[in-house]
């Protein structure tokens, strides 16, 4: 998968891209990430990327020209086939289904806004999907882009080893994940549940499922009982 990121703050991605899952995927040749600074596509001499909103009101809006130039350059001959995802609290909420769908794509373009929003005409012309990562307002699309990249990339075949298969994660199935313990057996006077050291795999499986159902009922009744 090739991921193009359009942002005013490419440096924000360096720690994220150079460590962890994306770096591993890139080393295996499964993912290629390219950062594009929107300011480089500005055509005026002050490299201005934002301006006052028509009709008045607080905040600045990202100007269409730099975004247009950047998107044209990045999409190139990909045409309508390339998904262009814009991060905004107005978007649909990111979930595991959405990430599972995007993991199949050959390319995605991620557009990170700042200030109030971006000029609506860019959304109308280029954007194929609008994603929110939660009902709160962040100061830009960079963190949402990293959240989405992480959740998509770890699902791509071959990125995680078998031992860490993403299939048992919370939200991959119907329920939240289960409880986990590792060594030492006794920690601060608290022992690991007997069943986990019983060697009875059937019982362990049942116990884990029971814990996961209990947790889901308690914490996310919307998932368990449906909305
Ligand atoms: N930009 C600002 N807030 C956001 C959010 N919650 N999700 C996605 N993009 C955003």
């Amino acid at each position: 998968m090739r991921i193009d990121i359009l942002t005013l703050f490419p440096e924000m991605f360096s720690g994220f891209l150079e460590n962890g899952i994306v770096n591993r995927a890139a080393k295996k040749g499964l993912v290629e990430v390219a950062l594009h600074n929107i300011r480089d596509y500005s055509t005026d001499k002050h490299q201005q990327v934002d301006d006052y909103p028509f009709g008045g009101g607080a905040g600045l809006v990202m100007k269409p020209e730099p975004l247009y130039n950047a998107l044209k350059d990045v999409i190139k001959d990909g045409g309508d086939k390339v998904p262009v995802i814009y991060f905004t609290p107005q978007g649909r909420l990111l979930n595991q289904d959405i990430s599972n769908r995007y993991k199949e794509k050959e390319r995605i373009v991620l557009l990170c806004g700042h200030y109030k929003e971006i000029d609506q005409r860019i959304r109308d012309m280029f954007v194929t999907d609008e994603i929110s990562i939660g009902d709160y307002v962040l100061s830009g699309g960079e963190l949402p882009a990293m959240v989405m990249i992480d959740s998509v990339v770890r699902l791509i075949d071959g990125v995680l080893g078998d031992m860490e298969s993403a299939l048992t994660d919370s939200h991959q199935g119907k329920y939240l994940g289960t409880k986990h313990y590792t060594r030492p057996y006794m920690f601060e006077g608290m022992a690991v549940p007997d069943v986990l050291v019983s060697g009875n795999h059937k019982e362990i499986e049942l116990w884990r499922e029971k814990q996961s159902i209990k947790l889901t009922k308690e914490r996310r009744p919307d998932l368990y009982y449906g909305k």
Side-chain angles (χ1 to χ4, degrees), residues 1 25 38 44 61 68 91 108 114 120 123 133 151 173 183 191 213 216 219-221:
M1 173 186 284
I38 296 166
D44 68 68
V61 178
Y68 179 91
I108 53 174
H114 252 266
Q120 181 62 37
R123 291 163 85 166
I133 61 159
S151 87
R183 283 183 288 187
I213 291 172
T216 313
R219 297 202 179 157
R220 296 294 304 274

Side-chain angles (χ1 to χ4, degrees), residues 87-89 131-141 144:
F87 295 98
T88 164
I131 295 285
S132 164
I133 61 159
D135 292 336
Y136 41 82
V137 179
L138 298 164
S139 45

